[in-house]
Amino acid sequence: MTLIGGFVAQRTGDRRHLVLGFAAGLMLGVVAFDLLPEALHEAPGEVHGVPEALLMFAGGFLALHVIERAVAIHRGHEGEYAAHSHGHHQGHHHGRAGHQGVGLTAALALVGHSMMDGFAIGAAFQAGTTVGTVVAIAVVAHDFADGFNTYTITRLYGNDKRRALALLAADALAPVSGAAVTLAFTIPEHLLGLYLGFFSGFLLYLATSDILPEAHSPHPSRSTLLCTVAGVGFMWLVIGFAG
């Protein structure tokens, strides 16, 4: 499913803005309907009146924001000369190159998350066959979105197709290895909750400050907005069925 998701993302070059809009909607849906509720369930403890998982959520958002701004500031100084000589767009494009690392980090985070998905299947089967089957179906639908997002994010940050495909392959193998790990041991729930919170902030930042602006950059369109809403709705359906 991961590979199919990546393949679909690769094939839709001319409708890129719609694809990006849909991907952002999927990511928002995953964060709001799946990751955060799960994180709060796994790590319900509070620090100074705020759930730990939500502190980690804000931390994940800010961590990526700080990294991105640091890259942008660094690239901005380098790109000023390019901007003066080739017009603003060139300078902006030059700045994009520095984001390759951020694209890789994000894609690797998605690969890490896929591994956790596999882990979730394994853990659910430990709880019982029915639970395991339901979780497996949910994860398969998830992996389609994951593959889609891994490919989209990697390419979005100016990484070449080969690198995007390599990460896609890693993303496809990750759940299998994640499931294999559960045969050996179980993760403390608390840590899992904190990780999910942090990863939620990471994903939400990507969706809102990178993917959506990119989706609307050539020409803001109503159809792109509809795709984003559709992405959120699709995730709601998937998670509802998985419930």
Side-chain angles (χ1 to χ4, degrees), residues 158-189:
N159 288 292
D160 59 13
K161 194 174 281 190
R162 202 179 65 236
R163 196 179 269 177
L165 290 174
L167 280 162
L168 188 60
D171 200 11
L173 290 171
V176 185
S177 50
V181 171
T182 56
L183 300 175
F185 68 97
T186 46
I187 296 187
E189 278 194 0

Short mmCIF file of all heavy atoms in Angstrom, two decimals, residues 158-189:
data_model
loop_
_atom_site.label_atom_id
_atom_site.label_comp_id
_atom_site.label_asym_id
_atom_site.label_seq_id
_atom_site.Cartn_x
_atom_site.Cartn_y
_atom_site.Cartn_z
N GLY A 158 12.95 19.38 -3.00
CA GLY A 158 14.00 19.44 -4.00
C GLY A 158 14.92 18.23 -4.01
O GLY A 158 15.98 18.25 -4.62
N ASN A 159 14.54 17.14 -3.32
CA ASN A 159 15.35 15.93 -3.41
C ASN A 159 15.01 15.21 -4.72
O ASN A 159 13.88 15.29 -5.20
CB ASN A 159 15.04 14.98 -2.24
CG ASN A 159 15.60 15.53 -0.94
OD1 ASN A 159 16.80 15.60 -0.76
ND2 ASN A 159 14.71 15.94 -0.04
N ASP A 160 16.01 14.53 -5.30
CA ASP A 160 15.75 13.90 -6.59
C ASP A 160 14.86 12.66 -6.43
O ASP A 160 14.62 12.17 -5.33
CB ASP A 160 17.06 13.53 -7.31
CG ASP A 160 17.93 12.58 -6.49
OD1 ASP A 160 17.43 12.02 -5.50
OD2 ASP A 160 19.11 12.44 -6.84
N LYS A 161 14.38 12.18 -7.59
CA LYS A 161 13.43 11.08 -7.60
C LYS A 161 14.03 9.82 -6.97
O LYS A 161 13.35 9.08 -6.27
CB LYS A 161 13.01 10.80 -9.05
CG LYS A 161 11.80 9.91 -9.17
CD LYS A 161 11.32 9.78 -10.60
CE LYS A 161 10.53 10.98 -11.07
NZ LYS A 161 9.89 10.73 -12.38
N ARG A 162 15.33 9.59 -7.22
CA ARG A 162 15.98 8.38 -6.71
C ARG A 162 15.91 8.33 -5.19
O ARG A 162 15.60 7.33 -4.59
CB ARG A 162 17.43 8.33 -7.19
CG ARG A 162 18.02 6.92 -7.19
CD ARG A 162 19.44 6.91 -7.67
NE ARG A 162 20.30 7.65 -6.75
CZ ARG A 162 21.07 8.67 -7.11
NH1 ARG A 162 21.04 9.09 -8.36
NH2 ARG A 162 21.82 9.30 -6.23
N ARG A 163 16.20 9.49 -4.59
CA ARG A 163 16.20 9.58 -3.13
C ARG A 163 14.78 9.37 -2.59
O ARG A 163 14.57 8.70 -1.59
CB ARG A 163 16.75 10.94 -2.69
CG ARG A 163 17.14 10.98 -1.23
CD ARG A 163 17.69 12.34 -0.88
NE ARG A 163 19.12 12.44 -1.03
CZ ARG A 163 19.80 13.56 -0.83
NH1 ARG A 163 19.17 14.67 -0.50
NH2 ARG A 163 21.11 13.60 -0.96
N ALA A 164 13.81 9.96 -3.29
CA ALA A 164 12.40 9.81 -2.88
C ALA A 164 11.98 8.34 -2.95
O ALA A 164 11.29 7.83 -2.06
CB ALA A 164 11.50 10.67 -3.76
N LEU A 165 12.41 7.66 -4.00
CA LEU A 165 12.05 6.25 -4.16
C LEU A 165 12.73 5.37 -3.11
O LEU A 165 12.15 4.41 -2.62
CB LEU A 165 12.39 5.76 -5.58
CG LEU A 165 11.52 6.34 -6.70
CD1 LEU A 165 12.03 5.91 -8.07
CD2 LEU A 165 10.06 5.94 -6.54
N ALA A 166 13.98 5.73 -2.76
CA ALA A 166 14.70 4.98 -1.72
C ALA A 166 13.97 5.10 -0.38
O ALA A 166 13.79 4.11 0.34
CB ALA A 166 16.13 5.50 -1.60
N LEU A 167 13.52 6.32 -0.06
CA LEU A 167 12.79 6.54 1.19
C LEU A 167 11.45 5.83 1.16
O LEU A 167 10.98 5.32 2.17
CB LEU A 167 12.60 8.04 1.44
CG LEU A 167 13.84 8.71 2.03
CD1 LEU A 167 13.78 10.21 1.86
CD2 LEU A 167 13.98 8.37 3.51
N LEU A 168 10.85 5.80 -0.04
CA LEU A 168 9.57 5.12 -0.19
C LEU A 168 9.74 3.62 0.10
O LEU A 168 8.92 3.01 0.79
CB LEU A 168 9.04 5.33 -1.61
CG LEU A 168 7.62 4.85 -1.89
CD1 LEU A 168 6.63 5.57 -0.99
CD2 LEU A 168 7.27 5.10 -3.34
N ALA A 169 10.83 3.05 -0.41
CA ALA A 169 11.12 1.63 -0.16
C ALA A 169 11.31 1.39 1.34
O ALA A 169 10.79 0.43 1.90
CB ALA A 169 12.37 1.21 -0.93
N ALA A 170 12.04 2.30 1.99
CA ALA A 170 12.25 2.20 3.44
C ALA A 170 10.92 2.27 4.17
O ALA A 170 10.67 1.52 5.12
CB ALA A 170 13.17 3.32 3.91
N ASP A 171 10.03 3.15 3.67
CA ASP A 171 8.72 3.34 4.29
C ASP A 171 7.87 2.07 4.13
O ASP A 171 7.07 1.74 5.00
CB ASP A 171 8.02 4.53 3.64
CG ASP A 171 6.91 5.10 4.51
OD1 ASP A 171 6.83 4.69 5.68
OD2 ASP A 171 6.14 5.92 4.03
N ALA A 172 8.06 1.37 3.00
CA ALA A 172 7.29 0.16 2.74
C ALA A 172 7.78 -1.00 3.62
O ALA A 172 7.00 -1.83 4.07
CB ALA A 172 7.40 -0.23 1.27
N LEU A 173 9.09 -1.04 3.87
CA LEU A 173 9.67 -2.13 4.67
C LEU A 173 9.48 -1.90 6.17
O LEU A 173 9.44 -2.84 6.95
CB LEU A 173 11.17 -2.26 4.36
CG LEU A 173 11.51 -2.81 2.98
CD1 LEU A 173 13.00 -2.68 2.71
CD2 LEU A 173 11.07 -4.27 2.86
N ALA A 174 9.36 -0.60 6.54
CA ALA A 174 9.33 -0.24 7.96
C ALA A 174 8.26 -0.96 8.80
O ALA A 174 8.58 -1.48 9.86
CB ALA A 174 9.19 1.28 8.11
N PRO A 175 6.99 -1.02 8.33
CA PRO A 175 5.98 -1.68 9.17
C PRO A 175 6.31 -3.15 9.42
O PRO A 175 6.03 -3.69 10.48
CB PRO A 175 4.69 -1.57 8.34
CG PRO A 175 4.93 -0.46 7.41
CD PRO A 175 6.39 -0.46 7.11
N VAL A 176 6.91 -3.79 8.39
CA VAL A 176 7.27 -5.21 8.54
C VAL A 176 8.29 -5.38 9.66
O VAL A 176 8.15 -6.23 10.54
CB VAL A 176 7.84 -5.75 7.21
CG1 VAL A 176 8.09 -7.25 7.31
CG2 VAL A 176 6.88 -5.46 6.06
N SER A 177 9.33 -4.53 9.62
CA SER A 177 10.35 -4.62 10.67
C SER A 177 9.78 -4.22 12.02
O SER A 177 10.13 -4.80 13.05
CB SER A 177 11.57 -3.76 10.31
OG SER A 177 11.16 -2.47 9.96
N GLY A 178 8.88 -3.23 12.02
CA GLY A 178 8.22 -2.81 13.27
C GLY A 178 7.43 -3.95 13.90
O GLY A 178 7.50 -4.18 15.10
N ALA A 179 6.70 -4.68 13.05
CA ALA A 179 5.91 -5.81 13.54
C ALA A 179 6.83 -6.91 14.08
O ALA A 179 6.54 -7.54 15.09
CB ALA A 179 5.03 -6.36 12.42
N ALA A 180 7.97 -7.10 13.39
CA ALA A 180 8.93 -8.13 13.83
C ALA A 180 9.48 -7.81 15.22
O ALA A 180 9.66 -8.70 16.06
CB ALA A 180 10.07 -8.23 12.83
N VAL A 181 9.72 -6.51 15.48
CA VAL A 181 10.27 -6.08 16.77
C VAL A 181 9.35 -6.48 17.92
O VAL A 181 9.81 -6.87 18.99
CB VAL A 181 10.53 -4.55 16.78
CG1 VAL A 181 10.90 -4.06 18.17
CG2 VAL A 181 11.65 -4.20 15.81
N THR A 182 8.02 -6.39 17.69
CA THR A 182 7.07 -6.68 18.78
C THR A 182 7.15 -8.13 19.24
O THR A 182 6.68 -8.45 20.32
CB THR A 182 5.61 -6.40 18.37
OG1 THR A 182 5.31 -7.17 17.21
CG2 THR A 182 5.37 -4.94 18.10
N LEU A 183 7.68 -8.98 18.39
CA LEU A 183 7.83 -10.38 18.79
C LEU A 183 8.85 -10.49 19.93
O LEU A 183 8.82 -11.40 20.72
CB LEU A 183 8.28 -11.23 17.60
CG LEU A 183 7.32 -11.24 16.40
CD1 LEU A 183 7.91 -12.02 15.24
CD2 LEU A 183 5.96 -11.82 16.78
N ALA A 184 9.76 -9.50 19.97
CA ALA A 184 10.84 -9.54 20.96
C ALA A 184 10.46 -8.88 22.29
O ALA A 184 10.74 -9.40 23.35
CB ALA A 184 12.09 -8.89 20.38
N PHE A 185 9.84 -7.69 22.22
CA PHE A 185 9.52 -6.99 23.48
C PHE A 185 8.39 -5.98 23.29
O PHE A 185 7.95 -5.76 22.17
CB PHE A 185 10.77 -6.26 24.02
CG PHE A 185 11.20 -5.10 23.16
CD1 PHE A 185 10.83 -3.80 23.47
CD2 PHE A 185 11.99 -5.30 22.03
CE1 PHE A 185 11.22 -2.73 22.69
CE2 PHE A 185 12.39 -4.22 21.24
CZ PHE A 185 12.01 -2.94 21.57
N THR A 186 7.94 -5.36 24.39
CA THR A 186 6.87 -4.35 24.29
C THR A 186 7.39 -2.99 24.79
O THR A 186 8.14 -2.92 25.76
CB THR A 186 5.65 -4.75 25.15
OG1 THR A 186 6.13 -5.19 26.43
CG2 THR A 186 4.88 -5.90 24.49
N ILE A 187 6.96 -1.94 24.11
CA ILE A 187 7.37 -0.57 24.47
C ILE A 187 6.51 -0.08 25.64
O ILE A 187 5.31 -0.33 25.64
CB ILE A 187 7.11 0.42 23.33
CG1 ILE A 187 7.94 0.09 22.10
CG2 ILE A 187 7.46 1.85 23.74
CD1 ILE A 187 7.83 1.14 21.03
N PRO A 188 7.12 0.64 26.60
CA PRO A 188 6.28 1.27 27.62
C PRO A 188 5.29 2.25 26.97
O PRO A 188 5.70 3.06 26.14
CB PRO A 188 7.28 2.02 28.51
CG PRO A 188 8.64 1.69 28.02
CD PRO A 188 8.52 0.91 26.75
N GLU A 189 4.03 2.16 27.34
CA GLU A 189 2.98 3.00 26.74
C GLU A 189 3.31 4.48 26.86
O GLU A 189 3.10 5.25 25.93
CB GLU A 189 1.63 2.74 27.44
CG GLU A 189 0.92 1.52 26.94
CD GLU A 189 -0.53 1.48 27.41
OE1 GLU A 189 -0.97 2.42 28.11
OE2 GLU A 189 -1.23 0.52 27.06
#
